[in-house]
Structures are given as C-alpha cells and as structure tokens.
Amino acid sequence: PLITGKVRGEIDAHAAASAQMLTDCGGSDPVWIEIVRLHHDDSRKKLPLSELDEVQAAARLVRRVDQFAAKLSRRATRPPMSPVKAAREACVGADGSPDEIGAALLGAVGLYPPGSCVELVSNEIGLVLARGKRANQPKVGVRIMANGAPLGQPLVRDCEDPRHAVRGALSVAAMKTKAPHEAMLAFCRPHS
C-alpha cells in the first residue's frame, strides 16, 4: 500500500513534534532534544558513523530503533512485519551484513525481540521474553503446548536447546490466549 500525502506529512513532522513533546514534558537536556529532533534527518546517511559528531551518531541510532519498532507495529495500511523480516530490513545493509548500528541492535534484542510470538520446533507457541546467547535463540515463555492446550502459567524454554529451537515467527493472534503479563515479566527480572 502506498503512503498517502497526509501520512507522509505526519511522518515528516514526527521528529520535530517528538522533540517538542519531550520539551513539553519537562525535558531540558538540549543534547537529548536535538538528538530526537534529528532522528529522521538522513542527510548524512552516506557518512560512516565514525565521521558523525556525538549528536548525529545518537540520532542515527534512535532513527534505526524507530524504524525497527515501526516495522514491528501494525499500521492502518499494513499488518506488523515479522520480527525476522523487520530485523533484516532495519539492521542489515545492502551487502547483506549488519552495519555498526544494525549489529548493536541485533546484539541487544536478537532476531526475535521481546514480545514476539514464536512457534518452536516442539510445536509449542510462546512469547519471547529475552534475547538468548545467540540472536536466533531467545528465551521463550510458552503459553500453548504442542497439543494446543493453553497454559495458566508460562513454561520457560531456552531456544539454545535444539528441542526448543524457534521454527518461526507468528502473528500475536496465533496466541489465542491472553498472556499473564506479571508472570511473563517475572521471568525477565534478574534473580538474586
């Protein structure tokens, strides 16, 4: 679907509006406000990260995270993109490998960002809780067993174990049950 003129205008005004919202909410750090204001500016996109000043480099990082999040989000004109496709489009350059920011983003969230719905090779369905040791091996809170039965409490699977590897990403609609938010978050908190 094509982006309408109205939507294009909203996208173009987004960075300035976001900087103003930050100021209106009490943000007073001029550097942070400038980073937000510049995060849609791609006039220096051909320059290597090392040639940008601190504000420009941070704005490029915010831009990439913004693009990644937008690809994962439902829009009026399209459904959310699969996490793997969104990661590929937001993190990997034309040469097929991640640039500095893409590598850092994949390193932080992996191919399946927290909240992504995935099916495991065990036929279980769950939500990604956290990045695992590798980008394609997240920690998953299983909500639906292989036989289709929903679980009251999530069952944590480490996808490093080949028996619980990710088969693929699914739409959140595949969950067919509401995840117990607090129980899911409890698995993400550091344990002492």
Side-chain angles (χ1 to χ4, degrees), residues 29 124 150 187 192:
D29 182 338
E124 297 168 322
F187 290 111
S192 43

Side-chain angles (χ1 to χ4, degrees), residues 13 31 35 43 52 62 121 161 177-178 188:
V31 173
I35 289 167
S43 63
L52 301 178
V62 171
V121 296
D161 181 337
T177 179
K178 187 175 181 196
C188 300

Side-chain angles (χ1 to χ4, degrees), residues 67-161:
Q67 290 170 336
F68 190 39
K71 290 175 186 312
L72 292 169
S73 302
R74 181 181 326 281
R75 296 291 186 249
T77 57
R78 63 161 177 78
M81 197 175 278
S82 80
V84 174
K85 186 173 182 191
R88 189 177 307 120
E89 288 192 12
C91 301
V92 176
D95 66 349
S97 59
D99 61 13
E100 291 170 282
I101 292 175
L105 189 53
L106 286 173
V109 300
L111 281 176
Y112 304 98
S116 300
C117 185
V118 294
E119 180 180 17
L120 306 182
V121 296
S122 59
N123 294 321
E124 297 168 322
I125 297 173
L127 292 177
V128 173
L129 302 171
R131 186 191 193 283
K133 288 183 182 177
R134 294 179 162 231
N136 64 341
Q137 297 174 338
K139 304 251 188 271
V140 173
V142 170
R143 294 286 299 126
I144 300 176
M145 297 302 294
N147 65 4
L151 290 170
Q153 290 297 310
L155 182 63
V156 177
R157 299 288 194 211
D158 186 339
C159 296
E160 181 180 7
D161 181 337

